[in-house]
Amino acid sequence: MARSLYEWLWQHEFWLPPGITWEDMQESEDTHYPQPRDLLLSIPFALILVVIRCAFERALALPLSTKLGVRDKQRPKAQPNPLLETFYSTHCKNPEEGELLRLAKQCDLPVRKVEKWFRRRRNMDRPSLSKKFSEACWRFTFYIISFFTGLAVLYDKPWLWDHRECWTGYPQQPLQPSLFWYYMLELSFYWSLVFTLPFDVKRKDFKEQIVHHAATIFLISFSYCANYIRIGTLVMVIHDASDCFLEPTKIFNYMKWKKTCDSLFMIFSAVFLISRLIIYPYTVLYNTYYYSMEIFQPFFGYYFVNVLLIILQLLHVFWSCLIIHMVYKFILQGTMEKDMRSDTEESDKDEERDKIREKEENGITYFRNVTSNGYIQRNGSEPLDNRAHLANGHAKER
């Protein structure tokens, strides 16, 4: 059964244009073509990148964050409560009003204290600022390396300047060693992102990130197997161009360098919108959809790769809408809005509100105590012991 599935999967009708078979893709001593088994190398390479990342963040990024003044916010910790902890871990992290009332009765606590416990417990699970800084430093380092590696590899390639060259001689286009290692570098990196996804900083577009990583891995893998190497290298360089500006924007944001952060974000926005909404559709989508038709007739691989490329473009449109909204707010308000994708903390305003309520309650309690002890007389005159007077519900020394 496995052999039948293997033979069905690798039918040349799926992967190669009409009139081309796997026999036409036989290698020789001087000619090498992409082999699907080569993709297995990306898994150990991805694990090596994970190890390098852990060492990089601990040895370089964390000490650098301290020297640059990145300070983690001191978050109030939730008091140990086995009942609430069990509910938090197994049921829900943000209970509704009815659940809060039920939990408050079970714990014999005020509802507001139960609500505060869940708020503090959620904040305990949120990543620290130093973790965000370290992650941004790692991605910035990789994107810089991969982008300039891509430029160095493609600078003397004819298809970088003439897009029709992507299809000259297709699919019998020999695989050059530089292109092989460039592909392994990119594919290994995205596999490493998948491996570390549960531990990375989670943002509001977490699901879109999963779709993006999956589509990217499938696209890179399929383009390698079907020898879409030339069009694949263009896709990777275009994506890395804008990412090189996104990560330093985050880094300066964590450092509280507001003006530098705003300037870099505007540059990133321009590069992203131009590269993803103009260059990518013309260089990749139009090229793959129309120019390829000059060489061969449509087949399964043609439709499949175009579907993957369109999925990426839809994600580009989604993120472009978020970026345009942030730029619009910046132009109107003159200040950069917080990253709409970030999972921000809830504690600031809520903690202040709780402190105000506690002060008001303490003031009312104290007021009742002093009046019951006879410190204030009904006729408004002061008592014999006039060391204290009442101001805003609080007793203060004169």
Side-chain angles (χ1 to χ4, degrees), residues 77-114:
K77 294 185 177 180
Q79 296 296 326
N81 191 311
L83 180 62
L84 298 181
E85 185 67 36
T86 301
F87 185 91
Y88 180 87
S89 303
T90 59
H91 290 80
C92 178
K93 296 183 179 181
N94 194 4
E96 297 180 355
E97 185 176 356
E99 294 172 325
L100 288 173
L101 291 172
R102 179 170 56 83
L103 290 171
K105 291 181 179 179
Q106 293 177 356
C107 298
D108 194 21
L109 292 173
V111 176
R112 190 164 63 253
K113 286 191 175 182
V114 175

Side-chain angles (χ1 to χ4, degrees), residues 366 375 382-390 395-398:
Y366 193 81
Y375 282 98
E382 292 187 359
L384 295 176
D385 186 1
N386 60 354
R387 290 177 301 173
H389 72 284
L390 194 65
K396 296 183 179 179
E397 291 289 337
R398 276 190 171 181

Side-chain angles (χ1 to χ4, degrees), residues 3-23:
R3 182 177 180 81
S4 299
L5 179 62
Y6 179 84
E7 292 177 353
W8 174 85
L9 178 63
W10 294 105
Q11 294 182 69
H12 61 82
E13 291 86 358
F14 290 166
W15 300 88
L16 302 174
I20 304 294
T21 65
W22 290 117
E23 295 179 356

Side-chain angles (χ1 to χ4, degrees), residues 33 38 60 79 105 118 133 145 218 312 338 346 376 378 385-386:
Y33 295 112
D38 298 340
L60 296 177
Q79 296 296 326
K105 291 181 179 179
F118 276 96
F133 180 90
I145 293 174
F218 278 121
L312 284 182
K338 288 185 178 180
E346 321 168 48
I376 297 179
R378 289 186 178 181
D385 186 1
N386 60 354

Side-chain angles (χ1 to χ4, degrees), residues 176-188:
Q176 301 177 18
S178 59
L179 297 178
F180 168 79
W181 289 112
Y182 181 45
Y183 248 74
M184 287 298 106
L185 177 67
E186 291 282 350
L187 184 58
S188 301

Side-chain angles (χ1 to χ4, degrees), residues 268-300:
F268 159 74
S269 301
V271 174
F272 185 95
L273 296 176
I274 293 173
S275 62
R276 305 293 180 94
L277 300 184
I278 299 176
I279 297 177
Y280 177 85
Y282 172 72
T283 304
V284 177
L285 292 181
Y286 186 82
N287 186 7
T288 307
Y289 190 79
Y290 287 103
Y291 289 164
S292 61
M293 299 287 287
E294 298 176 358
I295 307 298
F296 54 80
Q297 295 299 314
F299 63 105
F300 174 80

